[in-house]
Each structure stands twice: as structure tokens, then as C-alpha cells.
Amino acid sequence: MGVDKEMKLAELLTEGSDIKTLKANKKPLTDEEREEVLKAGAVWHHGPNGAESPAVWKSVDKNGKTTYVVNTHRAYQTAPTLKGAIKHYAFIKTTA
């Protein structure tokens, strides 16, 4: 494998798995996604006067692949689906 191919492979393997990359590609949830997260109770109380805000957010890479993320300052988990990220919330909440 040539140097260029090895560099591309290394870039693909690290891209999207790093929280910094995910945050750099952060996009707002759609109204429907936001509603589903709130309805499931996967929330933080970071809004005005402790109002609920979604604990799940999404990242869209340059190829259009969406990754849903739930995190605290100690840990994060990703999922390819919104429902998967909502399921991860139960564990991530314990790291808060």
C-alpha cells in the first residue's frame, strides 16, 4: 500500500470517532428528532430556569453520514440512529 493510501486509511479510521471531529461537524436536530428525544426523556436541564434540552445531538460528516451523540464531560457514546443514542443516554447520565 502506498503512502497516500495509508494516510487516507488512517484519516478515515480516525475521522468521526474523535469527539473533536464530531463536535466540529455538529448540526441541529430536526424538530421531529428533538421531539423524539424530549419525549423519551433523554434530557439535560440546561435551558433557562432548568428547562429541558436534548441530551442527544448529531454530527454529519463530509460524506453526509449522520452520527448521533450523547455525552458528558467524562464520556460519550455514538450511534448511527437516534433511537440508539437515546438508549445510550441511560449509561451516559451516570457519568454526569
Side-chain angles (χ1 to χ4, degrees):
M1 189 181 302
V3 174
D4 288 337
K5 286 185 180 181
E6 287 176 357
M7 289 178 69
K8 289 282 187 191
L9 180 59
E11 180 182 317
L12 287 173
L13 291 174
T14 59
E15 187 175 66
S17 62
D18 178 24
I19 192 71
K20 289 180 183 178
T21 302
L22 292 166
K23 286 181 178 181
N25 295 324
K26 190 174 181 177
K27 302 289 182 210
L29 295 173
T30 65
D31 291 341
E32 293 81 15
E33 290 169 330
R34 182 180 172 82
E35 186 177 324
E36 187 173 341
V37 172
L38 295 175
K39 184 177 177 183
V43 298
W44 303 126
H45 296 277
H46 295 159
N49 299 317
E52 294 180 339
S53 60
V56 177
W57 50 277
K58 71 179 175 182
S59 179
V60 181
D61 72 12
K62 63 185 176 188
N63 297 318
K65 179 183 173 197
T66 300
T67 302
Y68 293 92
V69 183
V70 60
N71 73 295
T72 65
H73 63 289
R74 291 188 180 109
Y76 75 97
Q77 288 195 317
T78 63
T81 65
L82 184 61
K83 288 182 185 200
I86 290 169
K87 286 180 183 179
H88 289 315
Y89 171 75
F91 167 74
I92 291 298
K93 184 178 179 182
T94 68
T95 69

